[in-house]
Amino acid sequence: MENRLATRLTAATLLSGLALLAPSGTAWSLEARIEGLPDDVAENVRFYLDGLDESQYSRARLEGEAQRRTREAMRVYGYYEPEIDLQLDDGEPPAFVELVIEPGPRVRIETLDFRLEGEAQDDPPFGEAIDAFPLSVGDPLVHAPYDRLRGRLANLALERGYFDWRYLDRRLEVRPFAESARLHLAFDSGPRYRFGDVAITGSHIEPERLLRMLPFAPGEPYLAGELARYNQRLGQTEWFASVTVRPRLQETRLDLDETPLGWWHELDVDGSRAATPRLSGAALAAATASVGRDDSPEVPLDVAVTPADRHQFEVGVGYATDVGPRLRFSWEQPWINRLGHGLDHEVYLSGPEQRLGGVYTLPLDNPLRDSYRFQYGLRHEDDEDTRSLETTLEGARRWEFDNGWIQSLYVRTTFEDFTQGGDAQQVLLLYPGISWSRTRTRNPTFPDWGDRQRVAFEVSDGLWGSDTDFLRLTAESRWIRSFGDANRLVTGIHLGAIDTDDFAGIPPSLRFFAGGDNSVRGYGYESLSPRNEEGRLTGGQQLFTYSLEWQRRVTGDWWGAAFVDTGDAFDAWGPDDLNTGAGLGVRWISPVGPIRLDIAHPFDDEDNSWRLHFAIGPEF
């Protein structure tokens, strides 16, 4: 008895506590049961009744409010004279309402009178918006398309620079007694504004460089999207911590607070100014520029930027079965002078490989598309039958085309002191090369769509001082495609070939090896290649690998994978020489990036029945 009393007291206390914790303004939704209406109209009635708090009304007022909302919900579908039988349940307050409705006659369109005036008459998007109106004379009246057309015309005017627009006529006349409606809409766009002068403040980079990145020219017709494109371009340079691009709303320039540069930004910059880091959508959409109303009105633009940190540091820690623990440290300088030159350095450390490298970037007229790049590198490798100490210098000219492809024309000098398969040599190589590459992706961390292509040709000859003559080709293609939200296909192919009469003079960094986490799973890292008489790896003159993987979401951020990989590095090969592995894996999209765990069986390795592969990081 005491236990049951204690239980009841506890339950009562919990319920009281929950009542005290519940918000005082909690709204109870009145459930609606509807008969006699088409599904879309009934759904709209439920939407209008949703959130109706029955506890705030007396029974009579609740009936009246439900009647009013129901009629309002039906009018937007052309039903102006319904007969409604409304019954509330007997609860206090009522929990649901039953509606039996005779919708009555439906109003139909008698007149459609849409007109454009002003310069928008000759601007195709406006005519297309009117032509796309889905209703015709004789159709049942639905309010939503008319309201959408009004909003579409207004948005087009603001997006396309018709800042003096107005409605000359805007009437929706409904005559329920005649079961007819007349829709009138007269839109006067006024003149179209054009881009005026561009004023840049706060820039530590020469303004002329920034002006050359404009996607438009002063005097061209205004488009709000072009301002967003320019804002994006400036951000992609990585020169700025913040970028603001907006039309000038007053005759005077925007009042921008001055922000002094810290010691880490020290540079000879006169009159540096800064602005708050935002791109005002309201300014782009609601601009009513107060400029002269002549035959060609213009909108001046103000661009305010603040410098990015001159020194940026990043540390990355990871692990992969191929190399074990790995550490990366980078020091980036996105700008070092008024011309926007950049300098990056990187240190990479792992068990088999350590490297130090850097890139000096010299942007040209279009900093996002054209540049010179000068690289240096020092690399040490000690893995299996490979020992190598490599020093590299490279100069490159880089172009990026409108279709996303990047072309790089380069000259590379390499000195490598190596031992491969017991054969020790030192070589000095000077070889030019050309490459084309393109990477496209959505959601780079774990893409649901993407692809990467790269092709490169390199040639070395004693005519210009190289110790070894060769012609080298590499090609790679990798694809990611999704099917729905739960299926993902990842596939890729990698090819390589070297034509030379002195393969012994080719350093390990240019020879081909296969096997490992990102090659043929089931086999050790770079364990697939020709071997000498002593059984040591020598590297191959040719390479072929192919991978096919199907992934399926299990739950949330967890995916399962099934895969098959095949390939090898060869001196001369055919299909019978390929090594194949297959297996299953798990993918987890963690906060630090995708984590991949695979178990693979090698079909062509008698000494091992399976191999575990683990890696952290994106596929591209």
Side-chain angles (χ1 to χ4, degrees), residues 463-518:
L463 291 175
W464 48 76
S466 282
D467 290 341
T468 305
D469 298 350
F470 66 82
L471 175 64
R472 186 172 187 266
L473 162 68
T474 55
E476 179 183 9
S477 181
R478 191 168 177 85
W479 297 77
I480 296 176
R481 292 294 185 268
S482 294
F483 303 89
D485 295 330
N487 295 282
R488 193 167 176 261
L489 177 68
V490 182
T491 184
I493 187 170
H494 194 179
L495 303 171
I498 302 173
D499 182 20
T500 182
D501 294 330
D502 181 18
F503 185 69
I506 302 295
S509 60
L510 297 178
R511 300 184 188 189
F512 296 114
F513 299 84
D517 298 345
N518 298 304

Side-chain angles (χ1 to χ4, degrees), residues 563-583:
F563 60 86
V564 58
D565 300 337
T566 189
D568 208 336
F570 318 88
D571 288 332
W573 67 277
D576 294 339
D577 299 318
L578 297 177
N579 290 275
T580 301

Side-chain angles (χ1 to χ4, degrees), residues 94-422:
F96 65 87
V97 58
E98 290 187 353
L99 296 166
V100 180
I101 302 174
E102 173 57 47
R106 192 171 186 183
V107 169
R108 294 183 176 273
I109 297 173
E110 177 185 319
T111 302
L112 282 177
D113 177 24
F114 298 156
R115 304 193 317 274
L116 284 174
E117 297 188 14
E119 293 185 13
Q121 294 180 86
D122 301 319
D123 199 351
F126 289 88
E128 292 168 2
I130 291 178
D131 293 340
F133 188 73
L135 303 179
S136 303
V137 172
D139 288 345
L141 173 65
V142 181
H143 289 208
Y146 180 75
D147 295 334
R148 285 197 296 267
L149 177 60
R150 287 166 43 196
R152 178 59 177 155
L153 293 177
N155 288 336
L156 280 172
L158 297 174
E159 292 170 5
R160 302 180 68 80
Y162 299 92
F163 299 125
D164 299 329
W165 69 271
R166 60 184 179 130
Y167 289 114
L168 301 175
D169 192 6
R170 183 178 52 180
R171 288 178 293 136
L172 195 160
E173 298 177 356
V174 179
R175 301 181 179 187
F177 60 88
E179 301 176 15
S180 68
R182 299 175 180 179
L183 281 62
H184 301 272
L185 192 62
F187 183 86
D188 180 11
S189 67
R192 185 175 186 182
Y193 282 69
R194 299 181 178 275
F195 287 115
D197 294 334
V198 179
I200 299 175
T201 57
S203 178
H204 55 299
I205 306 298
E206 289 184 350
E208 292 78 10
R209 280 189 170 270
L210 307 187
L211 292 174
R212 283 196 291 267
M213 298 170 63
L214 284 169
F216 55 85
E220 291 183 356
Y222 177 93
L223 281 173
E226 295 294 83
L227 271 65
R229 285 182 60 198
Y230 188 43
N231 185 92
Q232 183 183 38
R233 287 182 179 183
L234 293 177
Q236 288 174 341
T237 64
E238 300 183 356
W239 292 335
F240 308 109
S242 66
V243 179
T244 302
V245 181
R246 53 189 173 188
R248 189 179 307 162
L249 307 185
Q250 304 292 336
E251 277 290 342
T252 59
R253 292 176 56 181
L254 298 173
D255 184 15
L256 304 173
D257 297 331
E258 292 191 6
T259 301
L261 300 178
W263 61 266
W264 54 90
H265 288 143
E266 287 182 2
L267 190 65
D268 183 16
V269 181
D270 296 328
S272 294
R273 299 166 68 84
T276 54
R278 66 178 186 276
L279 171 61
S280 173
L284 295 178
T288 53
S290 56
V291 296
R293 300 297 196 266
D294 54 19
D295 293 337
S296 299
E298 292 186 344
V299 180
L301 303 178
D302 284 303
V303 179
V305 296
T306 57
D309 290 339
R310 192 172 185 180
H311 302 277
Q312 302 175 14
F313 304 94
E314 183 178 344
V315 177
V317 179
Y319 179 88
T321 312
D322 287 346
V323 299
R326 58 191 180 191
L327 173 68
R328 184 180 66 87
F329 174 78
S330 65
W331 171 23
E332 299 182 0
Q333 295 177 269
W335 58 273
I336 58 176
N337 55 32
R338 291 181 61 87
L339 299 176
H341 295 185
L343 181 59
D344 301 333
H345 310 271
E346 181 178 88
V347 176
Y348 173 87
L349 301 174
S350 70
E353 181 182 1
Q354 305 84 45
R355 63 176 182 259
L356 167 67
V359 181
Y360 185 92
T361 303
L362 193 158
L364 300 177
D365 286 349
N366 187 337
L368 297 178
R369 298 288 185 90
D370 303 321
S371 63
Y372 286 108
R373 298 192 175 190
F374 303 95
Q375 303 184 48
Y376 73 91
L378 180 64
R379 176 175 172 269
H380 174 260
E381 182 179 5
D382 187 350
D383 180 48
E384 294 285 343
D385 298 323
T386 303
R387 307 285 187 276
S388 174
L389 180 61
E390 174 190 2
T391 304
T392 301
L393 294 175
E394 177 182 302
R397 173 69 164 88
R398 181 181 183 274
W399 298 263
E400 181 173 345
F401 304 114
D402 292 338
N403 58 11
W405 282 91
I406 296 173
Q407 175 179 282
S408 181
L409 183 63
Y410 55 90
V411 177
R412 184 177 299 156
T413 300
T414 297
F415 175 78
E416 194 159 346
D417 184 354
F418 67 91
T419 300
Q420 181 65 56

Side-chain angles (χ1 to χ4, degrees), residues 29-42:
S29 178
L30 184 67
E31 180 184 351
R33 303 174 184 175
I34 303 170
E35 294 181 12
L37 293 182
D39 291 343
D40 54 347
V41 183

